[in-house]
Each structure stands twice: as structure tokens, then as C-alpha cells.
Amino acid sequence: MDNLKSWDKILVFIKERISPVNFRGWFSKTKLVDLNDKAILIAVPSAFIKNQLILRYDKLIQEAISENLNKSLEIKYEIDPSLDTKIKDLTEEQPFEFQSPSFISKPQSSSPLNSKYTLKNFVVGLTNNLAFAAALAVVQNPGISYNPLFIYGPSGVGKTHLMQAIGNVLLEKDPYLKIIYAPSEKFTNDMVYAIQTNKNADFRQKYRSCQLLLIDDVQFISGKDSTQEEFFHTFNELQSKNAQIVLTSDRSPVEIEKIESRLRTRFQGGLMVDIQTPDFGTRMAILKEKIAEKGESLPEEILRSIAEVSTESTRELEGKLTQILQAAKLSSEPMTLEQASRFLGKSIKPSGVYDFKKVLATINQYFNIKMADLTGPRRQKELVLPRQIAMYILYEDCRIPMEKIGDILGGRDHTTILYGIEKIRANLSQDREMQRLINEVKGAL
């Protein structure tokens, strides 16, 4: 109980020194696990939040500990996914209120948004988790947290999905909300039409009286001086009323050519987040989400093969999946790997490279540990890396489903296996020592 009171004091100290949005986003899901004379162990729901606490708030946490406990402690973290709350908890909060009395007060007759784009079905992975966290913050405090929110990345990675999902959640919370969603080309076309028909006042009333402005592909205003002039004044008017602005682009504001510096600085004045092409784990999660939406099923090995081949965008993934599902419907026999390969443009290995028992035995020998250590409940630091390497090789090379890997490694859950695989993947992309280690283990096999 004393430890819990100590953590409460630390949180109160932190809460008084950062914004409510940042406190709720980074500290509300933390929990004290252990506190002794040398270290404090804090549980967080994800590696992403752990990294953000280290990068952003390490000094503040140290200061809070020193001030409230009168000593300096080593800060340690552990990942506990059960701390994470569901997205639907967000949508069940009390409706927010905008502060401008000039906005209209009647429900929209129809939504300009695609109802299929939601936060609940947006698949979060290593390449888009920061953008997703930013979207959650905007949903909680529109017009305040990050305004504008500027989401950028290559085509087909989910920018439009995330943008419209923000609008759908806010519209669900407040059906009186006035939303405008428009590609930048529509903004330009509307402006040109207003000029041609002498309806400039109507155009400005439409765009400057909304409470949520969603502009897709804003990079296309590049080189269009009149559009940039009008958009600049629209932007200023909305921001002065605390109306939320969300923009997407295929590049960052710095990389957009032929754009006025005053617009560029405004785009940079909120929060800029990028979404990269999805990694393998995210591609698999997307495929499983899409196939569940369709009420269909395919063998895991075919889904893995689609994810291995379709690396550029979610649209490519969906296209390959749709082709294979359609072919499966037309066939009286179950879809096989060989049949699926015709749509993927490559031959597919039907089974894994290694036997899983040999993988475990080799890892035990390489790290000089026992099988009971590798598959048992012990959580010592020296056992984490061998387990994660086992997860990675069993999944990538043995082609064993994550649920089965969890059974092999002592009944660990799907989330733990996914985290271990992604951890090794992330390290492999930037750590030469990890590359050498994996190569040596595979060489021993």
C-alpha cells in the first residue's frame, strides 16, 4: 500500500507539470509493479509508450521520484498489454463541446465520410503507431491537442482511413458536428466555381464555418497561388475558433515544393506524424482483419504468402486477397498454396525450413540454457533474447502460427509472441550484432 501511495504522489507531481492530454496519453495506463531502495519497476501497455516515456519524460520522472521519495532510483519498465484500454472506451466518453458560438446547431443530414473507416478496425503496427496515438489524442481533445494534425506517407498506407476514422468517432460523439472532408482538388474546384459564379461568400461560409476540416492530399495545392491564398485564410479562421484541422500528404511539409512559407510553417505548427509502408506483422494483421470483415477464411500459410509478396501498400494486400478469395469461390476445391501462387507471381514454399524441436535445441545449446528455461515461466533478463529469437525463427522460418508458437513456448499468449517477433525484426533492420547473432543460430541449424 505504501508503494502505491508513493506512485500516486509521483503521478500527481507529473500531472501538475504537463498538459492533461499528455498525462492521459502517456501516464494514465501505467502501474507500479515494484519499488525498492535501488529501482522502480513501472508497467506500461506497450513498447511504444515505454519508448516515449524514456525519450520525453525520463528527466521529469526522475525529478518526481527525487522530490517525493528523497532518493534517486533506476527506472525500469515491463510491458503489460492488459493495461491497454479498448478503443470503444474512448467513444463512450461524454460528447465534447467546441467553444465557438458561431457554429451551426443542427445535425448534418448525411455524413461525407466512409463509415467503414473506424479507429476500431485500423490495424496498428510499428509503422503507424505514432499516427494512431495522435489520432486518439485528437479524438479526446479536438482543436486543442494537435491542431493541425498532419499525417504523411506513401500512397496506400492508411492515411485516409485514419483521417476519416477521426471524423467518424467525433461525429458519433456529436451528431451536430459540422464536418467537411475534401481532397485538395475539390477545395480548388469549389473555389474556382465560386469565382466563376460570383459566390465567393458562399464558398467561404461553407469552409470557414465547419468544426472539423479534413483535407486529403494537401500536396496538390503546390504551385496554385490562388488556392494557397484562400486556404491560408481558411486555415487561420478555423484555427482561431479552435476548429480541428487534419491534413494528409504523400510527403512532409518540408518536402512539398512551390508552397508559401507561411502555409508551410502552419502545417508544421501542430503535430506531423508519418505512416510508413507496413511491416510483415502489420500486413498479416491487416489481412486477418480484412478476411474477418468479409466473413471468409484462408489457410494461415496462404495469408503469410500474400503478406510476404505484397510489401508496398495495404491496397496491394487487399487486391491480392480479393483475387484469391474470388478464385476460391469459383473453385469447388479448397484453395492451395500452389493455386494461390498464380496470383502472387512467385513460387511458394509449402512448409518451413527447420523442425521446431531442432530450433529449440539449437538455441538452448547456443545460449547455454536449459529447455525448461526457454519454455518455462522464468522472466530473467538473460532469457528474454533467446525466447524472442526462438519466436522469430519459429514464425519466419518454420512457418508456425503464433498461437502454436505460444503453446510450444510454455503457453505464452499471442500478444507476447507478436511483440517478440517484432522486437527481433526491428533490431535486425538496424543492429549488425543482431544480424550476426541470427545468422550464427541459423548457421548452427
Side-chain angles (χ1 to χ4, degrees):
M1 181 58 71
D2 290 341
N3 283 354
L4 292 178
K5 287 182 178 179
S6 298
W7 182 238
D8 288 340
K9 289 181 179 179
I10 291 170
L11 289 179
V12 169
F13 182 92
I14 293 170
K15 189 174 185 179
E16 292 172 349
R17 286 158 177 79
I18 62 177
S19 71
V21 173
N22 286 332
F23 182 83
R24 184 161 55 250
W26 305 117
F27 289 93
S28 64
K29 300 173 187 176
T30 61
K31 183 178 74 172
L32 180 68
V33 177
D34 188 35
L35 175 64
N36 55 52
D37 292 335
K38 295 183 179 180
I40 182 171
L41 179 59
I42 304 168
V44 295
S46 69
F48 172 67
I49 289 183
K50 170 187 171 182
N51 292 336
Q52 293 301 309
L53 290 179
I54 293 172
L55 290 172
R56 296 178 176 216
Y57 299 110
D58 186 67
K59 289 184 179 179
L60 178 59
I61 298 172
Q62 289 283 12
E63 182 184 353
I65 292 171
S66 177
E67 182 72 21
N68 289 278
L69 303 183
N70 297 316
K71 54 186 172 182
S72 179
L73 298 174
E74 179 186 1
I75 302 173
K76 297 181 179 180
Y77 295 93
E78 71 172 28
I79 310 300
D80 182 359
S82 67
L83 293 174
D84 209 0
T85 58
K86 295 182 179 179
I87 298 302
K88 85 172 185 178
D89 295 337
L90 271 176
T91 61
E92 291 172 354
E93 294 176 359
Q94 292 299 314
F96 61 89
E97 294 181 359
F98 281 93
Q99 300 176 354
S100 173
S102 63
F103 289 144
I104 61 171
S105 59
K106 63 179 182 179
Q108 293 201 123
S109 57
S110 62
S111 170
L113 307 174
N114 187 333
S115 61
K116 293 181 180 179
Y117 292 145
T118 71
L119 290 180
K120 295 176 184 178
N121 65 17
F122 184 84
V123 178
V124 184
L126 294 175
T127 58
N128 61 18
N129 51 16
L130 182 56
F132 183 75
L136 295 185
V138 167
V139 164
Q140 290 174 317
N141 287 279
I144 299 173
S145 296
Y146 303 120
N147 200 18
L149 175 61
F150 193 101
I151 307 170
Y152 65 97
S155 176
V157 294
K159 303 186 299 295
T160 298
H161 182 145
L162 193 57
M163 166 190 274
Q164 293 205 26
I166 292 171
N168 279 322
V169 171
L170 294 181
L171 194 59
E172 182 182 347
K173 296 170 76 172
D174 181 5
Y176 291 85
L177 186 69
K178 184 177 179 183
I179 295 176
I180 290 182
Y181 166 75
S184 62
E185 284 293 309
K186 177 170 173 51
F187 181 89
T188 300
N189 293 339
D190 286 352
M191 185 193 74
V192 171
Y193 177 78
I195 294 172
Q196 291 174 342
T197 57
N198 197 28
K199 293 183 177 180
N200 289 8
D202 292 343
F203 168 81
R204 288 167 184 164
Q205 171 66 18
K206 171 184 175 181
Y207 278 93
R208 299 183 191 182
S209 67
C210 70
Q211 296 158 288
L212 176 63
L213 178 64
L214 309 173
I215 298 293
D216 228 343
D217 292 320
V218 75
Q219 74 273 7
F220 288 126
I221 68 172
S222 171
K224 299 175 181 176
D225 295 340
S226 298
T227 301
Q228 291 185 40
E229 176 76 18
E230 192 63 47
F231 192 74
F232 171 78
H233 293 296
T234 298
F235 188 103
N236 283 349
E237 179 77 11
L238 292 177
Q239 201 170 53
S240 71
K241 297 176 178 178
N242 286 335
Q244 179 66 50
I245 302 169
V246 183
L247 310 170
T248 71
S249 171
D250 65 359
R251 67 205 75 174
S252 72
V254 177
E255 298 171 316
I256 302 176
E257 299 178 353
K258 298 180 181 180
I259 188 172
E260 295 180 10
S261 60
R262 59 181 181 173
L263 265 182
R264 194 190 313 275
T265 55
R266 278 161 176 75
F267 292 167
Q268 295 172 305
L271 178 66
M272 299 182 296
V273 289
D274 70 319
I275 299 181
Q276 302 167 13
T277 53
D279 60 318
F280 179 83
T282 305
R283 296 198 298 272
M284 279 294 291
I286 291 171
L287 287 171
K288 290 181 178 180
E289 175 72 27
K290 294 300 178 184
I291 204 168
E293 285 179 4
K294 297 175 185 291
E296 304 286 351
S297 64
L298 281 174
E300 174 98 359
E301 57 187 5
I302 293 181
L303 294 180
R304 283 179 56 83
S305 298
I306 298 173
E308 287 169 358
V309 172
S310 306
T311 60
E312 295 302 316
S313 70
T314 56
R315 292 196 187 105
E316 182 186 6
L317 273 178
E318 290 185 50
K320 296 293 186 185
L321 178 63
T322 300
Q323 283 183 301
I324 291 174
L325 285 175
Q326 186 62 31
K329 289 179 181 178
L330 296 175
S331 174
S332 57
E333 299 294 329
M335 178 65 67
T336 65
L337 267 174
E338 289 73 21
Q339 291 171 323
S341 67
R342 293 189 290 111
F343 301 95
L344 301 176
K346 63 171 265 187
S347 60
I348 304 170
K349 296 179 181 179
S351 60
V353 179
Y354 310 120
D355 175 74
F356 82 87
K357 293 180 181 179
K358 186 175 182 181
V359 170
L360 299 186
T362 302
I363 290 175
N364 289 336
Q365 184 177 2
Y366 185 92
F367 288 97
N368 194 26
I369 58 177
K370 299 176 181 179
M371 183 66 76
D373 294 329
L374 189 63
T375 61
R378 295 177 60 201
R379 304 177 67 177
Q380 276 79 353
K381 185 177 180 180
E382 62 271 15
L383 300 177
V384 173
L385 181 59
R387 280 190 191 129
Q388 290 178 343
I389 290 176
M391 295 170 190
Y392 176 81
I393 294 178
L394 290 173
Y395 188 70
E396 293 288 351
D397 297 286
C398 297
R399 299 178 178 272
I400 299 175
M402 292 185 193
E403 292 80 2
K404 179 64 176 176
I405 295 173
D407 294 339
I408 292 172
L409 294 177
R412 287 175 164 81
D413 62 29
H414 173 272
T415 305
T416 302
I417 304 302
L418 176 60
Y419 174 78
I421 293 168
E422 295 297 354
K423 182 72 172 177
I424 298 299
R425 279 202 190 115
N427 287 338
L428 278 173
S429 65
Q430 56 191 7
D431 188 341
R432 291 186 178 276
E433 179 61 24
M434 179 60 71
Q435 295 169 8
R436 181 194 63 79
L437 190 59
I438 295 294
N439 287 336
E440 286 187 359
V441 172
K442 289 186 177 181
L445 285 167

